[in-house]
Amino acid sequence: MYENNQDAVPTLQQLTFSLADEEYGIDILAVREIRGWSRVTRIPQAPAYLLGVLNLRGAIVPIMDLRLRFGLERENYGDNTVVIVVAIAERLFGIVVDAVSDVVDIDPAAIKPVPDMGAVVDTRYLKGLATHVERMVMLLDVEKLMRPEDVETLDAALPAVQEVEVAV
């Protein structure tokens, strides 16, 4: 007999979060930790959206404000503001978001390509759009959030930051 559950398409689990009243999703497999906002050590010469670094159990983790990365206005950090720590290509970095929502299952067939918005909206950080329980979720491509030149700036600055952290 034909068994339907063996042919079931696996769903993609996404951690959803809000940013400027919009809902975004990030692959749960990339998420390492969710933590409340805490002060960071600023890095000289870093772009404005790279807030600094955080010492996370001995690992120096760059922290990025996703609002600033997307060209949105910065908001005051409150009780709901969180840092989602993600791992991309063996590197950890944190993204500051307004609030975390929940983990949802997205059917890969339900993911629509990102429409071309012209020069008005920068969509290069999105993998696609999906509808979940009558709300639109923009799926982030976390690998595109950190540009190679940002990584080079951080790599050059991190030894000095680590020396300061140890000296204090």
Side-chain angles (χ1 to χ4, degrees):
M1 293 294 300
Y2 177 78
E3 295 215 13
N4 195 20
N5 60 358
Q6 287 182 335
D7 293 324
V9 176
T11 58
L12 301 173
Q13 286 196 314
Q14 301 285 306
L15 174 68
T16 59
F17 60 89
S18 60
L19 190 72
D21 297 323
E22 299 292 341
E23 186 124 28
Y24 291 84
I26 188 170
D27 188 343
I28 195 72
L29 296 176
V31 176
R32 293 296 171 262
E33 185 173 333
I34 300 169
R35 50 184 296 126
W37 167 252
S38 58
R39 286 180 36 99
V40 298
T41 303
R42 186 85 179 119
I43 295 180
Q45 312 290 316
Y49 60 84
L50 283 175
L51 301 177
V53 293
L54 192 64
N55 186 334
L56 189 61
R57 292 180 296 284
I60 303 299
V61 179
I63 305 297
M64 170 190 307
D65 186 315
L66 208 52
R67 279 178 168 266
L68 297 178
R69 183 70 173 117
F70 289 172
L72 302 170
E73 194 171 310
R74 183 171 178 173
E75 290 282 316
N76 290 329
Y77 299 151
D79 293 340
N80 291 331
T81 306
V82 296
V83 176
I84 302 172
V85 178
V86 296
I88 302 300
E90 307 299 318
R91 292 188 77 119
L92 292 177
F93 71 93
I95 54 175
V96 178
V97 301
D98 294 349
V100 168
S101 303
D102 53 8
V103 176
V104 299
D105 292 318
I106 302 286
D107 179 357
I111 299 173
K112 306 292 183 228
V114 180
D116 183 9
M117 308 278 215
V120 179
V121 178
D122 190 348
T123 58
R124 69 180 147 184
Y125 307 117
L126 300 178
K127 283 184 180 178
L129 303 172
T131 303
H132 183 266
V133 191
E134 305 203 12
R135 62 183 194 226
M136 182 64 65
V137 178
M138 293 178 269
L139 305 179
L140 270 188
D141 188 344
V142 289
E143 293 180 20
K144 293 184 179 172
L145 286 176
M146 190 72 82
R147 297 186 314 216
E149 57 268 27
D150 297 336
V151 173
E152 289 173 17
T153 300
L154 287 169
D155 285 345
L158 284 181
V161 170
Q162 287 172 326
E163 288 170 21
V164 170
E165 293 280 340
V166 172
V168 171

